[in-house]
Amino acid sequence: MYSLFFSRCLGRSQFAVLLVLLLAPSLAFGQLSDSQRSALLSATLSAKYSLDAATLPSRERAREAFLRDARSTQSFFRTNTSTSNGEAWLDYLDLNELLEAVNDDESVATQGKLAVALHERLIGIAPGLELRTLVQLRRSVSELVASLRYSDAEKSISQLERQLDAFEKRLSEFESIPTADDIASLGAVISALKESKQAPSAVATIRSVFDEPNAVITLNGSLVQQSINRAVNQSQPVSNCILGTRLIGMASLNGNVTATLQPSIGAALLSVSLQARFNATNRGYNGPVVLNTTGTGDIFATRNLLLNESGVTMQPAYVQVQLASKIDSIEHRLKIVRRIAQKKAAEQKPQADRIATEKLKDEICEQFVRETSQSSSMQVGDPLAKIRPWLGRLDLVEPTRLWGSTHNAIFIQSSMRRDDQLGSLVPAPPVSGAYEIAVQIHETLIDNALTPMLAGRTVNQSQIEPLLSLTGNKPEAAPKRTSSDPLALGDETKEAEPAFEIDFARSRPVIFEARDGVLRVGVRGTRFAQGRRELSRAMEITTTYTPARDSSGNYLLLRDSEVDVEFPGRGRLTIQQSAIKTAIQKSFAEVFPQVLADQPILVPAETPLDAIRGKSLRPSQITTKDGWLTIGVR
């Protein structure tokens, strides 16, 4: 449900990845190699044998941090906003009950339940949850939850051993291309190790195997070239003086300015070049003698531009001029004077040609630098400026960005993952065919982005739509809070009765699988309720989309199946449960649209690229392969 949001937000590997994409056999693409499988197994065994109860989270330190940050938060809202808004925030956060439980050292179960509930309230889409004081409180609450979860050292170590044993067995059954569930099981292992402060080197090894970016944006190089390439046809008067001879005439420059992309990592590298022919016809005046001359030459100028989100960095220009001149005639009424002038002109011609060449070179360089430097004022801007508050509200890390270029395209590789999350096993597949901009999203990006917010949460049908409507640093109006609505938004005084509600599962609450030409999406839940009917059972609610073309030849994703509801595990459904299954199918048939990616993308008028400014772009290709959804538009 958030794929649209993250495709808009987009917007790290070495350059060798690009060579792999071009040279590696297609049958090997996306597979887990024997060396990678061995590294995962070794890391798992290393983690199991290095478990240490002494490094488990300290309840005392977590307690002190929470008490400090909770009191700091109370003080913040009492002094940095209006009395009514501060009270509304403190009422929403409801810190007192947990503060009392921690101060009174109540049972682990009581403190844990209250801490988890507070942590859930600190993650949402309400403006203000990104405030630094709330982000810090969220961190200390996370530490408190972890310290409570692992408070029984002996039991905790035993549980971790069993989890590692189970994963070791599962690892031996991994397919050559791991399934999304395989990757999720591995993610659960490193999440548990990270939370329990165990085996940091093993966690690092596992993450290094799944270390590829999980989002890539590619800009076709032809767009850049269309915006820069142009013909040059200039004529201008000449007024010059060389070795005492004043030259008056006309000069012309005819050629082309072209842009060429070069392989680069860290910034896109663009070479802008001028290749032109120079022609000049002059009359030279030296005392009573007049010389009629013509000059021709070849001019080549080039300058490299480095482009990333900081803007354009210009490198020095290089200019090369080859100039040849000819004296066509000498005018004077006396023949002897003409002979003397011709002899002297022949003697001075090599020096005059050198001076003329240097002057022309300096003039061309000055003009070329001036025109290309106009690009340096272009600012790409901060690509995360609009979404950074959302990252803070949703407990997401800021994605890494790596700019680069090949001979044919500019790309931005991005990774969104916390220290306890995984990236992609394989790089994004090469984008082929006709496209102007391509966006590629890996399964791990969706999982990393949505699991922290939705895992274990209760969401009703009326809340799913606002969650798709994701839009500074001061206390905003506090969100309203009800016992059944942890994600409610502020300013609503009365919430409509929900059509249904679902408890999301803690592992992979949102299903997003892009494989073998099919996009499978859905949710995993542990409880579904509608009116008086309720089913508390693990469930998987999914549907599938396949790429298709509309009547205009544009691509879209067409839902090709009914909503499928599965109940993992054994046991047949009762008649009442079967009726609820039917209700689930009907309800989610309304949630899952029949068509995805069918709306045009309007390029903003302020975009620096003339070739696409103001254009309406539609998908020209959609593919799903090895966990990657690729959408190319033009």
Short mmCIF file of all heavy atoms in Angstrom, two decimals, residues 483-509:
data_model
loop_
_atom_site.label_atom_id
_atom_site.label_comp_id
_atom_site.label_asym_id
_atom_site.label_seq_id
_atom_site.Cartn_x
_atom_site.Cartn_y
_atom_site.Cartn_z
N SER A 483 -8.86 4.28 22.80
CA SER A 483 -8.34 2.98 23.21
C SER A 483 -8.21 2.03 22.03
O SER A 483 -7.39 1.13 22.05
CB SER A 483 -9.27 2.36 24.26
OG SER A 483 -10.58 2.23 23.73
N SER A 484 -9.00 2.21 20.99
CA SER A 484 -8.95 1.28 19.86
C SER A 484 -8.29 1.89 18.63
O SER A 484 -8.30 1.28 17.58
CB SER A 484 -10.38 0.86 19.48
OG SER A 484 -11.14 1.99 19.10
N ASP A 485 -7.74 3.08 18.76
CA ASP A 485 -7.24 3.77 17.57
C ASP A 485 -5.87 4.39 17.80
O ASP A 485 -5.76 5.59 18.00
CB ASP A 485 -8.25 4.86 17.18
CG ASP A 485 -7.86 5.54 15.86
OD1 ASP A 485 -6.97 5.01 15.19
OD2 ASP A 485 -8.45 6.58 15.55
N PRO A 486 -4.79 3.60 17.80
CA PRO A 486 -3.47 4.14 18.07
C PRO A 486 -2.91 5.00 16.96
O PRO A 486 -1.92 5.68 17.17
CB PRO A 486 -2.61 2.87 18.26
CG PRO A 486 -3.30 1.83 17.46
CD PRO A 486 -4.77 2.14 17.59
N LEU A 487 -3.53 4.96 15.78
CA LEU A 487 -3.01 5.76 14.68
C LEU A 487 -3.92 6.92 14.32
O LEU A 487 -3.82 7.49 13.25
CB LEU A 487 -2.81 4.88 13.43
CG LEU A 487 -1.69 3.85 13.50
CD1 LEU A 487 -1.65 3.05 12.23
CD2 LEU A 487 -0.35 4.53 13.72
N ALA A 488 -4.86 7.27 15.18
CA ALA A 488 -5.81 8.33 14.86
C ALA A 488 -5.10 9.65 14.65
O ALA A 488 -4.09 9.93 15.26
CB ALA A 488 -6.83 8.47 16.00
N LEU A 489 -5.63 10.48 13.76
CA LEU A 489 -5.04 11.77 13.46
C LEU A 489 -5.71 12.85 14.29
O LEU A 489 -6.85 12.72 14.73
CB LEU A 489 -5.19 12.08 11.97
CG LEU A 489 -4.53 11.07 11.03
CD1 LEU A 489 -4.70 11.51 9.60
CD2 LEU A 489 -3.07 10.91 11.37
N GLY A 490 -4.99 13.99 14.46
CA GLY A 490 -5.51 15.07 15.27
C GLY A 490 -6.68 15.79 14.64
O GLY A 490 -6.97 15.64 13.46
N ASP A 491 -7.33 16.63 15.39
CA ASP A 491 -8.43 17.50 14.99
C ASP A 491 -9.74 16.77 14.75
O ASP A 491 -10.76 17.38 14.46
CB ASP A 491 -8.09 18.31 13.73
CG ASP A 491 -6.91 19.22 13.98
OD1 ASP A 491 -6.71 19.60 15.14
OD2 ASP A 491 -6.21 19.53 13.02
N GLU A 492 -9.78 15.44 14.79
CA GLU A 492 -11.03 14.73 14.61
C GLU A 492 -11.70 14.58 15.97
O GLU A 492 -11.10 14.11 16.93
CB GLU A 492 -10.79 13.33 14.00
CG GLU A 492 -10.24 13.39 12.59
CD GLU A 492 -10.06 12.00 12.00
OE1 GLU A 492 -10.49 11.03 12.67
OE2 GLU A 492 -9.51 11.88 10.91
N THR A 493 -12.92 15.00 16.06
CA THR A 493 -13.62 14.91 17.34
C THR A 493 -14.44 13.64 17.43
O THR A 493 -14.74 13.17 18.52
CB THR A 493 -14.54 16.12 17.50
OG1 THR A 493 -15.46 16.17 16.40
CG2 THR A 493 -13.72 17.41 17.52
N LYS A 494 -14.79 13.07 16.27
CA LYS A 494 -15.58 11.85 16.30
C LYS A 494 -15.20 11.00 15.10
O LYS A 494 -15.24 11.45 13.97
CB LYS A 494 -17.07 12.17 16.26
CG LYS A 494 -17.95 10.94 16.41
CD LYS A 494 -19.42 11.32 16.45
CE LYS A 494 -20.30 10.08 16.62
NZ LYS A 494 -21.72 10.45 16.67
N GLU A 495 -14.78 9.78 15.33
CA GLU A 495 -14.35 8.89 14.26
C GLU A 495 -15.50 7.99 13.83
O GLU A 495 -16.25 7.48 14.66
CB GLU A 495 -13.17 8.04 14.73
CG GLU A 495 -12.63 7.16 13.61
CD GLU A 495 -11.53 6.24 14.11
OE1 GLU A 495 -11.37 6.17 15.34
OE2 GLU A 495 -10.88 5.59 13.30
N ALA A 496 -15.62 7.85 12.51
CA ALA A 496 -16.67 6.99 11.98
C ALA A 496 -16.42 5.55 12.37
O ALA A 496 -15.28 5.12 12.55
CB ALA A 496 -16.72 7.13 10.47
N GLU A 497 -17.48 4.82 12.49
CA GLU A 497 -17.36 3.40 12.83
C GLU A 497 -16.65 2.67 11.70
O GLU A 497 -17.07 2.75 10.54
CB GLU A 497 -18.77 2.80 13.03
CG GLU A 497 -18.77 1.35 13.46
CD GLU A 497 -18.25 1.17 14.90
OE1 GLU A 497 -18.21 2.18 15.62
OE2 GLU A 497 -17.91 0.05 15.26
N PRO A 498 -15.53 1.97 11.97
CA PRO A 498 -14.78 1.32 10.89
C PRO A 498 -15.54 0.14 10.30
O PRO A 498 -16.28 -0.55 11.00
CB PRO A 498 -13.49 0.88 11.58
CG PRO A 498 -13.87 0.72 13.02
CD PRO A 498 -14.90 1.77 13.29
N ALA A 499 -15.33 -0.09 9.00
CA ALA A 499 -15.95 -1.24 8.34
C ALA A 499 -15.31 -2.53 8.84
O ALA A 499 -15.99 -3.54 9.00
CB ALA A 499 -15.82 -1.12 6.83
N PHE A 500 -14.00 -2.51 9.04
CA PHE A 500 -13.32 -3.67 9.60
C PHE A 500 -12.04 -3.19 10.24
O PHE A 500 -11.59 -2.06 10.02
CB PHE A 500 -13.04 -4.74 8.54
CG PHE A 500 -11.98 -4.35 7.53
CD1 PHE A 500 -10.63 -4.45 7.83
CD2 PHE A 500 -12.34 -3.88 6.28
CE1 PHE A 500 -9.66 -4.09 6.91
CE2 PHE A 500 -11.38 -3.51 5.36
CZ PHE A 500 -10.04 -3.61 5.67
N GLU A 501 -11.43 -4.04 11.02
CA GLU A 501 -10.11 -3.76 11.55
C GLU A 501 -9.30 -5.04 11.54
O GLU A 501 -9.85 -6.14 11.59
CB GLU A 501 -10.17 -3.15 12.95
CG GLU A 501 -10.65 -4.06 14.05
CD GLU A 501 -10.58 -3.39 15.42
OE1 GLU A 501 -10.57 -2.14 15.46
OE2 GLU A 501 -10.53 -4.11 16.43
N ILE A 502 -7.99 -4.84 11.44
CA ILE A 502 -7.09 -5.98 11.36
C ILE A 502 -5.88 -5.73 12.25
O ILE A 502 -5.37 -4.61 12.33
CB ILE A 502 -6.65 -6.25 9.90
CG1 ILE A 502 -5.79 -7.52 9.81
CG2 ILE A 502 -5.95 -5.04 9.30
CD1 ILE A 502 -5.52 -7.98 8.39
N ASP A 503 -5.45 -6.77 12.95
CA ASP A 503 -4.20 -6.72 13.71
C ASP A 503 -3.10 -7.23 12.79
O ASP A 503 -3.15 -8.38 12.32
CB ASP A 503 -4.27 -7.61 14.95
CG ASP A 503 -5.22 -7.07 16.00
OD1 ASP A 503 -5.74 -5.96 15.81
OD2 ASP A 503 -5.45 -7.78 17.00
N PHE A 504 -2.13 -6.38 12.51
CA PHE A 504 -1.04 -6.80 11.65
C PHE A 504 -0.12 -7.78 12.38
O PHE A 504 0.10 -7.67 13.59
CB PHE A 504 -0.21 -5.60 11.20
CG PHE A 504 -0.83 -4.82 10.07
CD1 PHE A 504 -1.43 -3.60 10.30
CD2 PHE A 504 -0.80 -5.32 8.78
CE1 PHE A 504 -1.99 -2.88 9.26
CE2 PHE A 504 -1.36 -4.60 7.73
CZ PHE A 504 -1.97 -3.39 7.97
N ALA A 505 0.44 -8.71 11.61
CA ALA A 505 1.43 -9.63 12.16
C ALA A 505 2.73 -8.87 12.44
O ALA A 505 2.97 -7.80 11.89
CB ALA A 505 1.69 -10.77 11.18
N ARG A 506 3.56 -9.44 13.29
CA ARG A 506 4.82 -8.78 13.62
C ARG A 506 5.90 -9.07 12.58
O ARG A 506 6.85 -8.30 12.45
CB ARG A 506 5.30 -9.22 15.01
CG ARG A 506 4.37 -8.73 16.11
CD ARG A 506 5.03 -8.72 17.48
NE ARG A 506 4.17 -8.08 18.46
CZ ARG A 506 4.13 -6.77 18.67
NH1 ARG A 506 4.92 -5.97 17.96
NH2 ARG A 506 3.32 -6.25 19.57
N SER A 507 5.79 -10.14 11.85
CA SER A 507 6.75 -10.47 10.79
C SER A 507 6.10 -10.24 9.43
O SER A 507 5.02 -10.76 9.15
CB SER A 507 7.20 -11.93 10.91
OG SER A 507 8.04 -12.28 9.82
N ARG A 508 6.73 -9.43 8.62
CA ARG A 508 6.23 -9.11 7.28
C ARG A 508 4.74 -8.73 7.30
O ARG A 508 3.91 -9.39 6.67
CB ARG A 508 6.46 -10.27 6.32
CG ARG A 508 7.90 -10.51 5.94
CD ARG A 508 7.99 -11.51 4.80
NE ARG A 508 7.50 -10.94 3.57
CZ ARG A 508 6.95 -11.63 2.57
NH1 ARG A 508 6.80 -12.93 2.68
NH2 ARG A 508 6.56 -11.04 1.47
N PRO A 509 4.37 -7.68 8.00
CA PRO A 509 2.96 -7.29 8.03
C PRO A 509 2.43 -6.92 6.65
O PRO A 509 1.24 -7.07 6.37
CB PRO A 509 2.93 -6.10 8.99
CG PRO A 509 4.33 -5.56 8.97
CD PRO A 509 5.20 -6.76 8.80
#
